[in-house]
């Protein structure tokens, strides 16, 4: 993959907090907004916004890369952020 160039160390560092338990916590946290893009009955992408304006997830399936999925998810997260009164969004590393 281009994002980690098939190097194990960067991939493992990136995946470190993507455990099933952590993702379940993110989904169940009422302060988070979790969005899933469904395309052709498949998960095309996932995004999660924390109440503090931090985007903690923005992932696109390799099947749907470069097809506007990430942009659509981010735009939807921005709309939710505006509804919460947030003036800007940021991201959390990792």
């Amino acid at each position: 993959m281009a994002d980690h160039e098939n190097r194990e160390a960067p991939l493992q560092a990136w995946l470190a907090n993507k455990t099933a338990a952590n993702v379940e916590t993110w989904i169940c946290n009422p302060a988070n907004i979790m969005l899933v893009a469904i395309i052709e009955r498949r998960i095309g992408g996932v995004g999660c916004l924390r109440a503090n304006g931090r985007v903690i997830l923005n992932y696109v399936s390799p099947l749907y890369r470069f097809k506007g999925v990430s942009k659509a998810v981010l735009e939807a997260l921005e709309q939710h952020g505006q509804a919460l009164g947030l003036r800007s969004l940021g991201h959390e590393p990792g």
Side-chain angles (χ1 to χ4, degrees):
M1 302 276 300
D3 56 352
H4 60 80
E5 299 172 344
N6 290 322
R7 292 177 295 143
E8 188 69 18
L11 180 59
Q12 290 305 315
W14 179 77
L15 289 172
N17 71 337
K18 280 48 169 210
T19 65
N22 278 350
V23 173
E24 180 179 3
T25 299
W26 299 336
I27 292 169
C28 294
N29 185 338
N32 290 343
I33 296 167
M34 179 75 72
L35 302 178
V36 179
I38 304 295
I39 304 166
E40 301 169 345
R41 298 173 49 180
R42 297 179 183 195
I43 296 175
V46 178
C48 185
L49 175 65
R50 288 194 168 160
N52 66 1
R54 296 292 181 203
V55 175
I56 62 169
L57 296 174
N58 181 25
Y59 305 132
V60 174
S61 166
L63 294 173
Y64 301 106
R65 288 183 69 205
F66 307 112
K67 296 186 180 186
V69 175
S70 180
K71 181 179 178 179
V73 169
L74 283 174
E75 286 175 352
L77 290 175
E78 287 175 346
Q79 290 174 0
H80 283 281
Q82 288 175 346
L84 293 172
L86 299 173
R87 295 180 57 165
S88 65
L89 303 183
H91 74 280
E92 291 187 5

